[in-house]
Amino acid sequence: MRFIHPIFLVAALVLAMVRPVFAEEAVSGPLFNVVYFEVAPTEAAQTAATARTRAEAIRKEDGNLAFEVFQEIARPSRFAIVEVWRDKQAAEAHGKAAVGTSLAQQLQASFIDGLATRPHSGLSLATSQAQIPPQALYVITHVDVFPAGKDQAVELVKAQADAARKDDGNLRFEVLQWDGHPNHFTLVASAAAPHTKDFRHKLNPLEGALYDERLYQPVR
């Protein structure tokens, strides 16, 4: 697939494997929630509008550091949210205060399925000084690796993040680690770059499921 303006900002690379919850990995700093949901195709436009309004309100809440809503370009009825809270307590306070007015409740009638919420901590973060343009594209990728390859996969995604941040056109690259499942992550990549091909080649033998990469646009 070719893109005229390949600006890649927030891709979620989730490295998953079958193993029990890791209580020792509890988030102690900022909490990143990555949320996925799908609505009926006829409800996509109204869902985007509702999510936009709700996001504007949530960004004003105490403890919220970011609340971004993304709409899949190929299938506009699928959405993703990346929200950042000062800490787990702030996120929990938001959840209690939102009873009866949450985005999930507002969109309940439109859902094909429910919200898939994955709490993360930051594994590899870097602050960009560049202004992010409205037309910027976002990539969210899901990757599943076997238990034995988890530590190797961690090093691979961190190295990929370091390399991708140097790419022309890259404005932001974050790697997040799923709380309780330290084999899950979030990443930004340019699929055509040589280092990305090398990353995919090394990651391939560790994968336990299909490499799932999707292109999004921000809901503004």
Side-chain angles (χ1 to χ4, degrees):
M1 185 180 295
R2 297 174 63 90
F3 304 106
I4 297 177
H5 300 291
I7 302 175
F8 301 90
L9 300 184
V10 181
L13 172 60
V14 182
L15 299 159
M17 57 191 182
V18 179
R19 92 187 253 190
V21 172
F22 297 79
E24 71 275 12
E25 296 293 335
V27 175
S28 59
L31 175 69
F32 298 75
N33 277 332
V34 180
V35 184
Y36 304 92
F37 65 94
E38 183 174 3
V39 300
T42 55
E43 301 291 334
Q46 182 57 50
T47 296
T50 299
R52 181 186 306 112
T53 300
R54 184 66 182 141
E56 291 173 352
I58 292 174
R59 292 186 193 111
K60 299 175 183 177
E61 292 185 19
D62 180 50
N64 181 260
L65 305 180
F67 195 96
E68 301 169 289
V69 182
F70 305 101
Q71 187 171 19
E72 191 175 331
I73 292 175
R75 297 179 64 177
S77 59
R78 297 203 293 202
F79 294 81
I81 297 172
V82 177
E83 53 181 283
V84 189
W85 296 91
R86 181 179 57 233
D87 48 34
K88 187 175 182 179
Q89 290 71 29
E92 292 176 345
H94 160 72
K96 293 178 181 179
V99 172
T101 62
S102 70
L103 181 61
Q105 290 167 311
Q106 290 178 323
L107 298 176
Q108 186 64 45
S110 302
F111 282 153
I112 287 181
D113 54 7
L115 294 180
T117 302
R118 302 169 180 175
H120 295 66
S121 60
L123 179 66
S124 178
L125 306 174
T127 303
S128 174
Q129 301 301 318
Q131 180 67 34
I132 300 178
Q135 73 274 19
L137 304 181
Y138 293 70
V139 177
I140 298 183
T141 306
H142 184 91
V143 175
D144 183 329
V145 302
F146 291 110
K150 190 265 293 184
D151 291 340
Q152 186 179 351
V154 168
E155 295 307 313
L156 285 174
V157 297
K158 289 170 68 176
Q160 173 66 359
D162 290 341
R165 290 181 185 123
K166 301 173 185 176
D167 286 347
D168 181 37
N170 179 271
L171 301 177
R172 169 178 159 195
F173 199 110
E174 298 174 349
V175 179
L176 310 178
Q177 189 168 30
W178 193 350
D179 182 32
H181 299 272
N183 47 303
H184 295 235
F185 306 83
T186 297
L187 170 151
V188 179
S190 173
H195 61 77
T196 301
K197 295 180 181 179
D198 182 60
F199 162 71
R200 290 290 305 276
H201 177 74
K202 292 178 179 177
L203 186 68
N204 180 260
L206 307 177
E207 293 175 356
L210 182 67
Y211 188 90
D212 184 1
E213 182 176 86
R214 303 178 188 181
L215 189 65
Y216 289 80
Q217 61 186 358
V219 174
R220 301 185 184 281

